[in-house]
Amino acid sequence: MSQFHLKADCMRNLPPLARLRTFEAAARLQSFALAALELHLTASAISHQIRDLERHFGRALFERRHRQVQTTLEGRRLFESLGRLFDALEATCAEVQLPTHDEVLAVHCAPSLALKWLGPHLPSFVAQHPAINIRLTTGADPVDLGVVRDIDVALSYGSARHKAGLDVVSLGDERIAPLVSPALLVAREPASRAIQRLALIDSQLSPVGWAEWFQLNGLPLPLRPRPSFDRAAMAISAAADGMGVALESTRLAAREIERGELVVLGERSLQKIVRPVHFLSVRTTDRARAPVVAFVDWVRAQVA
């Protein structure tokens, strides 16, 4: 009972949804009269609801001028936040209205994998499974599917949460190699000399670092400042732009390599690090669900 009262008290701090909807329309249109037309209300009703909302917040949300209104700083902040909330609410309602033969698959993916690999490949999945609606979110930290119930499949980078009730598989070995723009290379210069000359780019979240690569190749690690990025995609882009050499997965950099924007430094003369760095996780209770099976099989086919 006490838990119910606590929730009810929290809800009392929120203004009525209808007032927020009225405010959003007035702020978007910058007009009480146009908001009244859109919401099928009178202009005086709009004005009355906005004043109620301003009393609730204890501050003005609009600057009122002759036949014109403009949001205050607080009003603009509220409008921007409401826009995101209403977009999310609209998307949720759209999912509820899907035909019964359509299904939603919520996928959470490491940002760089989503940008550099999953996103470019997704059109083929959509073409093969038009009745499955993908809802993709990204985040650097691995999600715990045992706790986060609104995610069906997780694609993580570096590591995955191994626990009872989860099936975790790697997406296969990836080549981690020094990637550089051809414009930075000098003809007939040995790769082992070029790597000493060029700037090295750090990927902060990468499970593979320069120290390991230099040790593998029996080369001294240059002791000089290195530009650093917290996303593999940013490190790859920096290398393609000519900032230096990035130690990254050739899977993530596949398009840049295919376009000739990046090459593997020392392709024939230097050692690459090969290991799994991306992982797919599903709940064991969900592994037989048709959309999950379809997506997992599709991912495995893409990395085969």
Side-chain angles (χ1 to χ4, degrees):
M1 183 65 69
S2 59
Q3 183 180 10
F4 171 79
H5 285 308
L6 177 61
K7 290 181 179 179
D9 289 341
C10 292
M11 289 299 292
R12 292 193 190 104
N13 291 328
L14 292 174
L17 181 60
R19 298 286 189 270
L20 295 174
R21 182 167 173 260
T22 297
F23 166 80
E24 189 277 337
R28 171 166 41 82
L29 299 170
Q30 293 290 286
S31 168
F32 288 0
L34 292 177
L37 288 174
E38 180 176 296
L39 300 177
H40 305 290
L41 297 172
T42 64
S44 61
I46 296 292
S47 180
H48 176 74
Q49 291 189 27
I50 295 298
R51 290 193 184 280
D52 279 351
L53 203 57
E54 289 176 325
R55 280 193 291 269
H56 175 87
F57 289 117
R59 61 194 61 199
L61 299 175
F62 287 97
E63 295 176 1
R64 292 158 173 83
R65 301 171 184 173
H66 180 63
R67 294 186 179 181
Q68 186 180 7
V69 294
Q70 186 174 1
T71 49
T72 62
L73 176 61
E74 292 81 4
R76 286 193 294 274
R77 290 172 56 193
L78 178 61
F79 172 69
E80 291 171 359
S81 297
L82 282 178
R84 292 190 293 270
L85 290 173
F86 284 157
D87 286 346
L89 183 60
E90 183 178 11
T92 300
C93 291
E95 290 177 4
V96 173
Q97 293 176 316
L98 287 174
T100 55
H101 61 275
D102 285 2
E103 297 192 66
V104 174
L105 184 71
V107 178
H108 185 275
C109 187
S112 293
L113 185 67
L115 177 65
K116 309 297 287 184
W117 184 81
L118 181 60
H121 285 80
L122 266 182
S124 71
F125 177 82
V126 173
Q128 294 173 34
H129 305 280
I132 298 177
N133 293 269
I134 293 289
R135 187 178 68 200
L136 178 63
T137 58
T138 66
D141 296 327
V143 297
D144 186 346
L145 294 181
V147 176
V148 183
R149 307 300 297 183
D150 58 348
I151 300 294
D152 301 309
V153 180
L155 297 169
S156 58
Y157 175 59
S159 63
R161 295 180 184 273
H162 292 265
K163 60 186 295 185
L166 295 183
D167 287 349
V168 180
V169 297
S170 82
L171 298 191
D173 286 340
E174 299 182 39
R175 289 200 313 159
I176 314 299
L179 305 173
V180 64
S181 167
L184 296 183
L185 300 181
V186 177
R188 292 185 292 278
E189 180 183 30
S192 57
R193 184 178 300 171
I195 199 72
Q196 297 292 331
R197 171 178 60 84
L198 296 168
L200 305 179
I201 299 171
D202 276 338
S203 287
Q204 298 171 15
L205 302 181
S206 175
V208 179
W210 280 114
E212 181 180 355
W213 184 89
F214 273 91
Q215 183 179 22
L216 175 67
N217 283 277
L219 297 173
L221 176 64
L223 299 178
R224 57 175 180 264
R226 301 198 293 260
S228 178
F229 297 92
D230 66 352
R231 294 289 184 269
M234 295 174 64
I236 290 170
S237 293
D241 290 338
M243 182 177 288
V245 188
L247 185 64
E248 273 300 342
S249 163
T250 56
R251 173 181 290 167
L252 295 183
R255 288 197 295 178
E256 286 80 3
I257 294 172
E258 289 172 3
R259 293 194 294 250
E261 298 169 0
L262 288 174
V263 296
V264 176
L265 183 62
E267 176 71 78
R268 295 183 176 85
S269 59
L270 296 175
Q271 297 292 317
K272 292 90 178 167
I273 295 173
V274 180
R275 68 179 55 162
V277 294
H278 288 101
F279 302 87
L280 182 149
S281 304
V282 299
R283 285 180 289 271
T284 55
T285 53
D286 289 342
R287 62 187 175 190
R289 283 183 54 212
V292 172
V293 171
F295 186 79
V296 171
D297 288 348
W298 174 80
V299 168
R300 285 175 169 165
Q302 301 306 304
V303 301

